[in-house]
Amino acid sequence: MKSVRAVVFNAYCWVVYGFLLAPIAVVVLASFNSGAFLTFPPQGLSLRWYYVFFDNEVFWRAIRTSLWVAAVATVISGAVGTAAAIFQVRYAGRGKEAVRMAMLAPLLLPEVLTAIALLFFVYGLGIGTKGMVGLLAGHLLVTLPFVFMNVAASLESFEPDWDLAARSLGAGRWARFRRVMLPMIKPGVIGGCLFAFIISFDTFTMSFLLKSVGTATLPIQLYDYLRTNFTPEAAAVSSFSVILTLVVVVVSEKLLGLKIRRF
Amino acid sequence: MTRRAAPLLLILPAALVLTVFLLIPYFNIVLMSVRMPGNGVPYAPGWTLGNFAKFFADPFYLEQLGNTLWIGAVTTLACLVIGYPVALQLARGSGALRGLRYGIVLTPLLVGIVIRSYGWTILLGNNGVINRSLVGWGLIEAPLPLMYNGLGIIIALTHVLLPFMILPIMGAIQGIDPALELAARSLGAGRNTAFRRVVVPLSLPGIQAGCILVFVLAISAYVTPALIGGLRVKTAAVSVVDALIDSFQWPFGSAMALILAVIGGGVVLGFARATRMAWVRRR
Amino acid sequence: MTEVSLRQLTKQFGSFRAVDGISLEIGHGAFVSLLGPSGCGKTTTLKLIAGFEAVDGGAILFDGADVARLPAERRDIGMVFQNYALFPHLTVGGNLAFGLEMRKRPREEIARRTAEVLEMVQLQGLAGRYPRELSGGQQQRVALARALVIEPRILLLDEPLANLDAKLRDEMRFFIRDLQKRVGITTIYVTHDQSEALTMSDQVVVMFGGRIAQIGAPEDIYDRPASRAVADFVGRVNVIDARVTAAAAGGFQVATELGAFGLAGTAQPGQTLALALRPEAIGLTAGGDATVIAAAYSGGLVDYRVRTAQGRVLDVQAFPVPRFAVGDAVRLDVAAERLWPLA
């Protein structure tokens, strides 16, 4: 017997889920439009705009830039964030909360202000937005908290006794890290890096303010395109990006899910 | 000695990154806010507090700041009202669909801002799905102004910031021993009373964290208001970027950014204190 | 086999002195228990011996050599943790091989040795299982095997039976003691359970507040406690006031409210003493001036609470036959040789 209350409650929640999905769903639906203009519901279904997009070298260059920037940012913040998380959970002692706040600061400070601060900084150094130092630094900052949070969370379930047991069995510092801690926090590290990759791939503000000529990432290219064009090609590009993200998330969930469940 | 020092090597890279790319640049902004405005160049030699005076002397900027705080407050409230039941369902629910529902809550975080804003344009525009449907069904004569105004910004901000409200509340509710609710029921409290007297007070830390996160992110959001608000409705963050990037007023823009940050921080602090008092009294 | 000595060992946490000048000699192949309530410093002492905590004062010697500068991973100790601390990402075989791999032993030797210890702890065929697939008792034995496979100099056990149910706990006591005797390894066992300490150990070290209250064989600890605190912690005890009425060479007479007794030892006439008397050292017979005020049947034995004519309440433990009920009049027969004067 389900009470009326439960039914209403459930329905309410699903309305919220609908709200959360709506803007993404319309973009995906619009991408299958066969007409020349963005209309909704679509006037007939076709993959026409996907073909247009696949032939558009501008978007492909942007995708390559995005992937490259995201890869570099992820590798660096993966290493830096993991080390910081290990320090925070295991060695920070009384400074634990302070370290956590510092590591999360890039997330809590307004991203636009951070981007501007970085922009001034690279101008002050005299390198400006030539090259990718500013852009990579910005992406490093926005991704670092996500790696840190994920790794720190997985470390919380790491029992100090495992480390002591390994010591009693003769394992030195490096052996304990590689043979005991790393295997156990691996899901957190991989999860954090995937999240970082997605965040970097999608971030707009940092890229917008710190981009230089020829380093437009996909969101920037899409934004530029949308200022002047209203064809469903933008919807096709967006859907492609959404699907890419979805694939990364689902695949990692399946792979990691199995790993995590083995514990 | 080396054994004690070794763990510090772990935090060194992060400390370097944060110092060089965050601390120093922010310090630089503070310095910039007291520099002399330049003419044709970003700033001139010398120091002044005039940038701050200029802001507080101009009703236009003050009104804009008020609007920004108002939008932040409404968005926070909307997120709380919309998000709490979902957080409750996610925290207490189980079953096959839980993973899916959790995934849906995370989608706004995983899909880029340009794409989301594009989606809102398709939905909310004068020619958008909602207006066309309403006109089509004969419910309204002319399209409702859903975009390029405060309402549009609030809708889009609520959408993207909902996860930041839902996740902390969910965490707080998950931390509540279900036996407490049963204990309240065994003592004669009804379902609603048990919820109101046990679950809600114990989830207050999550509510507080969620509200602070959402408010801070809402008043400092740049892209969403810039894309959805159009040219007519500007929030303070949009003005900051205009001043800095478009009109090269680096000192004034920096001062505006600092004012926004300090006022936002003040509101958060006040809110945190007020809610903590409520929490103590309930205990 | 290794001899362990602790010399004036101290460990301070902030202003709290967890271990306060402990000195102890543990002989080759001995099984020594550190027994005490939580917070008495027994686990800290174990961690100091293992090298997990740095010593603040005093010295730890293995076979006469100070190990202070040796990090835990080089001390050659085997340790069994309260929650076993088995590596969840490794199989039983992987857990057992870990210590040998750290010692860079050849592959064939690792295979042979892990198979041997698995047989020793009667877990043949479980090498491929993950720890979470094992029962608590099995995990316990894997933890023991993992500690022993590296052939450590000493074996340290930190409340290893605390997480097992009562029946398994009793079995494991015999299992561990038997294994220890076969291997002949010097063993230090930390517990707060007095019956564990008494049944397993060659020597029991009772600790309170970071200090040693008594060191002795189980019989010494139980029958000849050094203080009232030790007597209280190690089982239940009745404390009876006594006055020395006469003394001679090798013995003295005391008068108590339970009667007059002759005790061995020396004392001054007129001196007052507190005597420890274990509940099972008092016999009950029907008809007397004491009254049963409570009785709790626990299978093999009955715990009585008896009030004497003088109004003193005593604990008595007796066989169920003959059985007395609350309100019955009983006579108390004290086994005089079990009376022990407390310091």
Side-chain angles (χ1 to χ4, degrees), chain A residues 82-191:
Chain A
T82 301
I86 294 172
F87 177 83
Q88 192 253 350
V89 176
R90 309 251 316 153
Y91 301 106
R94 281 177 197 199
K96 206 173 168 182
E97 197 51 29
V99 173
R100 202 177 87 90
M101 287 314 287
M103 291 304 295
L104 296 186
L107 195 65
L108 299 173
L109 293 167
E111 193 180 334
V112 61
L113 194 54
T114 307
I116 290 166
L118 267 177
L119 189 64
F120 286 0
F121 181 67
V122 288
Y123 273 117
L125 289 181
I127 42 179
T129 52
K130 288 192 282 296
M132 288 191 146
V133 176
L135 187 67
L136 283 175
H139 280 241
L140 185 56
L141 285 179
V142 292
T143 52
L144 197 53
F146 291 96
V147 175
F148 174 80
M149 279 194 297
N150 270 282
V151 178
S154 69
L155 269 169
E156 289 294 347
S157 59
F158 181 87
E159 292 195 29
D161 273 358
W162 287 330
D163 199 53
L164 295 185
R167 285 186 76 177
S168 77
L169 294 169
R173 213 184 267 288
W174 175 246
R176 295 202 299 276
F177 173 70
R178 216 179 54 78
R179 297 286 307 274
V180 179
M181 184 182 281
L182 197 59
M184 281 186 254
I185 63 172
K186 205 157 80 183
V189 175
I190 297 178

Side-chain angles (χ1 to χ4, degrees), chain B residues 129-154:
Chain B
V129 178
I130 292 174
N131 272 321
R132 288 254 294 255
S133 307
L134 292 176
V135 173
W137 296 332
L139 290 172
I140 51 171
E141 296 287 314
L144 298 171
L146 298 173
M147 251 189 87
Y148 305 118
N149 56 20
L151 179 66
I153 296 176
I154 289 171

